[in-house]
Amino acid sequence: MNILGIETSCDETAVAVVRDGRDVLSNVVYSQIARHAAYGGVVPEVAARAHVEVLPDLVQKAMDDAGLSWADVDGVAATRGPGLATSLAIGLAAAKALALRLEAPMVGIHHLEAHLYSVLLGPDAPPAIEALPALVLLVSGGHTCLVRMEGPGRHELLGQTVDDAAGEALDKGAKLLGLGYPGGPELEAAARGGDPSAVDFPRGVARNARRDLNVRHPDLCFSFSGLKTALLYRLRSHPVQRGTGAFADVAASYQEAVVDTLARQVDRALDRFPVRSVACAGGVARNGPLRERLAAVATSRGLPLLLARPEYCTDNAAMIAALAGALLAGGASPTSLDVDIDPNLPLA
Ligand code: KG4
Ligand code: ZN
């Protein structure tokens, strides 16, 4: 079963073709970062216009790369939410139009469920039947949560951030240090050779997750907003010059505070929730020190570690098409073409 997936939840326009929910036949991503750089952040109107402009060519490229003809496409999928309303609308409308033209089923996908599923993508990933249930740490620029994934689209949300996402904390820290955007990789590079224990930054564990978050396990939540404030005060009292050892020490210590918090919460969740594997997805899953730390946690528990491949960590359509394929194969009904986008689509 070949599914063509479309992802336009934010500022990446992406199209992919995935066979049988796991073999990625093509995966094309157009990053709009340069178009938004001048504004210092993603401008929804600019993002939506760019999606409209580049999507048709990207769909054609994904089909060409996959070496398929339209008759080979068995279904179409697109992100339905959460995300920017105007961006989501473009991808979902395109998927509906394709589904009508091809007389194929359409599946509206939850962006975060697709990120979770991304750990099962690619030739090295184990079959879902062996890997699930998995404890998945989903860490991106907009989201940080701990989820027990039982099957495609079936999961329990165990914890989440009560304020900033982990990637946001890294991006804001990098900005305070005068590094570029996105801050995560810049900070990782700046931290290389630094001493992660040089500065004792606060660990972002949320002791009292706000009631309005409606989480069942407040002690498995995260809080990162105090971290950037701590860095701000640290830099005021101890200014550092870029390129010096002291700069690398601060960068490494800041990164360590994020990594240590994430790994500790994963470890804590493993005490209570039996799983077959530990996994990590989302943009921050590209981080080397985080990958190493999670490997240590998994080893200490005798569990395999599933890390999303770097190309499937950041926003992509392979994860959208893969999840749609797995859902349809599992007997899920296609989504009605009357469905609308939902910028706040909840995970649970
Ligand atoms: O998943 P993603 O592409 O976008 C969202 O949906 O949010 O994640 C982007 C985030 C940014 O905060 C970026 O700084 C972070 O992922 N990131 C990293 C690394 N590469 C990307 N953070 C730490 N280390 C990296 N190597
Ligand atoms: Zn994402």
Side-chain angles (χ1 to χ4, degrees):
M1 183 163 45
N2 298 313
I3 306 287
L4 181 134
I6 298 176
E7 152 62 37
T8 62
S9 64
C10 189
D11 62 335
E12 251 105 30
T13 321
V15 187
V17 180
V18 176
R19 177 168 291 166
D20 297 334
R22 67 179 273 129
D23 299 329
V24 182
L25 304 185
S26 64
N27 181 36
V28 290
V29 183
Y30 170 76
S31 168
Q32 303 177 7
I33 282 188
R35 297 195 188 211
H36 300 278
Y39 307 100
V42 176
V43 183
E45 178 65 20
V46 172
R49 281 169 189 266
H51 287 312
V52 172
E53 196 185 307
V54 305
L55 192 52
D57 285 348
L58 256 58
V59 168
Q60 191 57 57
K61 180 155 187 353
M63 288 296 292
D64 293 346
D65 288 359
L68 298 184
S69 72
W70 285 109
D72 301 323
V73 175
D74 304 299
V76 184
T79 307
R80 184 163 99 71
L84 296 172
T86 44
S87 286
L88 290 165
I90 309 300
L92 191 65
K96 287 179 185 177
L98 282 168
L100 276 173
R101 178 67 181 79
L102 300 171
E103 296 182 21
M106 196 283 293
V107 186
I109 293 290
H110 191 295
H111 182 76
L112 299 183
E113 285 182 5
H115 267 301
L116 296 175
Y117 202 71
S118 71
V119 302
L120 295 172
L121 270 182
D124 313 326
I129 190 108
E130 284 172 24
L132 303 181
L135 178 72
V136 193
L137 173 69
L138 173 54
V139 270
S140 74
H143 301 275
T144 295
C145 53
L146 258 178
V147 176
R148 186 170 182 274
M149 175 165 58
E150 278 139 40
R154 281 190 296 123
H155 38 66
E156 183 186 358
L157 177 65
L158 303 179
Q160 61 186 318
T161 179
V162 301
D163 41 55
D164 291 351
E168 196 179 352
L170 294 170
D171 292 340
K172 287 177 177 170
K175 196 170 178 189
L176 286 172
L177 285 164
L179 300 168
Y181 182 86
E186 296 259 339
L187 196 72
E188 182 176 359
R192 235 161 254 142
D195 174 6
S197 62
V199 186
D200 189 17
F201 285 115
R203 298 322 195 221
V205 173
R207 306 223 178 277
N208 296 305
R210 278 187 235 117
R211 278 208 201 99
D212 56 25
L213 275 178
N214 197 21
V215 288
R216 282 168 59 197
H217 314 287
D219 60 326
L220 296 179
C221 285
F222 307 87
S223 168
F224 290 110
S225 64
L227 185 55
K228 60 178 188 288
T229 315
L231 176 61
L232 180 69
Y233 289 138
R234 171 76 196 186
L235 292 175
R236 274 189 196 154
S237 61
H238 299 75
V240 283
Q241 287 290 321
R242 214 167 153 171
T244 62
F247 189 91
D249 285 349
V250 175
S253 302
Y254 188 86
Q255 176 177 251
E256 171 66 14
V258 175
V259 168
D260 186 47
T261 302
L262 295 172
R264 273 202 226 181
Q265 293 298 69
V266 167
D267 202 43
R268 184 177 280 187
L270 288 171
D271 281 340
R272 306 219 294 271
F273 297 93
V275 287
R276 284 218 179 100
S277 55
V278 183
C280 188
V284 182
R286 285 186 168 190
N287 186 265
L290 177 62
R291 288 177 167 247
E292 283 166 27
R293 188 69 64 83
L294 291 177
V297 170
T299 304
S300 75
R301 302 273 179 168
L303 293 171
L305 176 68
L306 312 181
L307 294 169
R309 289 162 70 97
E311 66 269 37
Y312 306 139
C313 281
T314 46
D315 287 348
N316 66 89
M319 64 185 189
I320 305 297
L323 177 56
L327 288 170
L328 289 175
S333 307
T335 309
S336 159
L337 293 187
D338 293 334
V339 77
D340 203 355
I341 56 146
D342 183 349
N344 303 309
L345 194 62
L347 181 66

